[in-house]
Amino acid sequence: MAMGKYRSGTDKKKILRIAQIAPLYESLPPKLYGGTERIVHYLTEELVREGHDVTLFASGDSITHARLIACVNEGLRLKQDCIDPLAYHIIQMQKLSAYVNEFDVLHFHTDYLHFPYSNTLKIPSVTTLHGRLDIPELQDIYNTFPYQNLISISENQRLPLPQGNFVKTVYHGLPGNLHHLGEGTGEYLAFLGRISPEKGVERAIKIALETNTKLKIAAKIDKADFAYYEEKVKFMLDHPLIEYVGEINDQQKTEFLAQAKALLFPIDWPEPFGLVMIEAMACGTPVIAFNRGSVPEVMENNVTGFIVNSVEEAIHAVSGLKYLSRIEIRRAFERRFTATRMAEDYIDVYRILVNSKFPDVHRGRTSILDV
């Protein structure tokens, strides 16, 4: 689509030619677990729905209404013969370089992998950081590449990198029709995500046992966390109140969350966002979440659930679930966390980048939005 084409009718804003560069570990949307790839999928589809010309650089088994440039035949996590996933991400950068002049803006979701490449480009680019930023080595990375335009997914996420060139915080969003309001009649607590030390599944089990409530655990186990699972968690699953469901897809997730009394989110790390919280909210399901990372930004205490500071507080919160309105929780989701709102936030950033007459005008500023 040629640069300069405009939408018909009263909306005269220029249609943007956007490249979305996704991680290759999961297809878009993921077949099972995959938070980052799921968000990139929702964003891509919403941008297309709003009339933009979007090209998606992702795995070949992705399903999208955008133009798809396949960088590997299938998502790498489920690819049985993949030993070195970095190799395909290097191929992805090379494929992008073949098309790069077709775009008005590049949107990366690949951490810092592309920085040596995007640092040389005249075409505007922005990178959404989806992971934790309190890793020591990242200080050297962002000191070396101080002018990369960055998006945080919560205000808390960016705290360890005050020198980062953050242009905006954009909270995640979900399609409004993805999940439906549930009644919570399943009489069980839910745990959804990964079995890993930082996600707090041991705490979730203790909360369930202390409140004599059934707990269903729908979670994947990464290879890196298998030893933790074997040593710390596996024996805890051998209790009549605890049910390990395994990984589930979006269709199963709706029913799983909609019928739960509450989602337990007993994290023990600086959670960058916590997609599962808004997935629960979309089902009208309250969340009992530990006060770490992004939780106070995403949650509305005593409205969408309870923010707690200990297992004891979480146990007490279970008895207060009956006072929360599932309809109000769903309304809170619709106000703050739809894919439409997320896409509009990103479009605002794209337009500022594209309309900047001088590519370096934002350098040295806290945000390009100050220009």
Side-chain angles (χ1 to χ4, degrees):
M1 187 172 294
M3 186 172 181
K5 187 171 180 179
Y6 290 79
R7 301 185 196 186
S8 60
T10 58
D11 185 357
K12 299 299 184 182
K13 291 184 177 179
K14 186 170 62 182
I15 292 173
L16 296 172
R17 302 175 303 168
I18 306 163
Q20 293 289 335
I21 302 96
L24 301 176
Y25 298 104
E26 308 286 345
S27 63
L28 273 68
K31 295 178 175 63
L32 295 169
Y33 182 87
T36 298
E37 291 88 350
R38 201 173 301 280
I39 287 299
V40 179
H41 171 70
Y42 299 149
L43 173 60
T44 297
E45 298 306 295
E46 184 63 25
L47 291 171
V48 172
R49 191 188 70 81
E50 294 194 13
H52 295 286
D53 182 9
V54 186
T55 299
L56 175 65
F57 292 81
S59 64
D61 54 345
S62 298
I63 300 172
T64 181
H65 290 95
R67 176 175 64 157
L68 176 64
I69 304 296
C71 304
V72 64
N73 60 338
E74 62 180 311
L76 298 177
R77 185 171 70 90
L78 302 179
K79 185 177 170 63
Q80 297 296 323
D81 56 348
C82 180
I83 297 174
D84 183 5
L86 181 62
Y88 291 102
H89 287 89
I90 298 300
I91 292 170
Q92 182 183 47
M93 292 302 109
Q94 181 60 28
K95 290 205 172 192
L96 173 61
S97 69
Y99 294 90
V100 70
N101 291 322
E102 297 182 12
F103 306 117
D104 299 319
V105 64
L106 311 177
H107 189 171
F108 291 96
H109 303 269
T110 49
D111 290 325
Y112 52 80
L113 178 66
H114 59 279
F115 283 2
Y117 171 64
S118 58
N119 210 42
T120 66
L121 295 176
K122 299 296 184 184
I123 295 171
S125 69
V126 66
T127 302
T128 296
L129 301 178
H130 292 267
R132 66 189 303 171
L133 302 180
D134 60 339
I135 299 168
E137 292 78 8
L138 294 184
Q139 297 295 322
D140 290 334
I141 284 286
Y142 291 96
N143 289 337
T144 302
F145 297 96
Y147 303 132
Q148 290 286 330
N149 298 316
L150 307 174
I151 297 283
S152 51
I153 56 177
S154 69
E155 293 293 319
N156 184 272
Q157 181 202 27
R158 65 167 74 177
L159 292 180
L161 283 177
Q163 73 273 43
N165 187 36
F166 289 98
V167 303
K168 194 177 181 69
T169 290
V170 177
Y171 294 136
H172 289 337
L174 308 176
N177 61 356
L178 180 66
H179 300 301
H180 61 73
L181 180 65
E183 297 179 354
T185 54
E187 294 303 314
Y188 61 87
L189 299 170
F191 180 94
L192 178 62
R194 287 187 290 117
I195 291 182
S196 61
E198 67 270 17
K199 292 294 186 178
V201 67
E202 296 171 76
R203 289 172 165 178
I205 293 171
K206 184 174 182 180
I207 293 164
L209 296 182
E210 290 292 328
T211 58
N212 196 35
T213 309
K214 185 177 181 65
L215 174 69
K216 292 188 178 184
I217 302 170
K220 76 166 183 173
I221 307 171
D222 283 333
K223 291 179 182 178
D225 296 313
F226 190 74
Y228 161 75
Y229 164 75
E230 287 283 323
E231 182 180 350
K232 300 289 187 180
V233 178
K234 188 176 181 180
F235 76 94
M236 300 181 76
L237 304 181
D238 189 23
H239 190 284
L241 285 176
I242 311 302
E243 178 183 354
Y244 177 58
V245 177
E247 286 190 72
I248 58 177
N249 59 31
D250 269 343
Q251 290 71 33
Q252 296 167 313
K253 189 182 296 182
T254 297
E255 188 68 17
F256 178 77
L257 290 172
Q259 297 308 315
K261 290 179 62 174
L263 171 76
L264 297 182
F265 197 62
I267 56 171
D268 190 23
W269 74 307
E271 179 70 60
F273 183 82
L275 182 61
V276 66
M277 289 189 285
I278 67 171
E279 290 174 328
M281 289 163 58
C283 297
T285 300
V287 181
I288 299 174
F290 275 48
N291 190 9
R292 296 290 308 276
S294 66
V295 166
E297 295 178 57
V298 176
M299 293 279 293
E300 295 177 52
N301 197 29
N302 297 315
V303 176
T304 59
F306 300 109
I307 299 175
V308 300
N309 293 291
S310 65
V311 170
E312 290 71 26
E313 288 185 17
I315 292 168
H316 179 73
V318 171
S319 63
L321 293 171
K322 59 182 175 289
Y323 298 112
L324 300 178
S325 165
R326 297 181 74 96
I327 292 175
E328 287 303 314
I329 294 171
R330 170 69 192 190
R331 287 174 179 166
F333 159 76
E334 292 171 349
R335 285 195 310 270
R336 301 183 61 207
F337 296 117
T338 64
T340 299
R341 190 275 310 149
M342 174 176 64
E344 289 171 351
D345 285 352
Y346 277 119
I347 290 168
D348 287 343
V349 173
Y350 300 157
R351 292 199 185 283
I352 290 171
L353 288 170
V354 170
N355 293 330
S356 234
K357 293 181 180 179
F358 305 101
D360 295 338
V361 72
H362 58 279
R363 296 192 176 190
R365 295 177 181 266
T366 303
S367 168
I368 62 170
L369 300 183
D370 295 334
V371 175

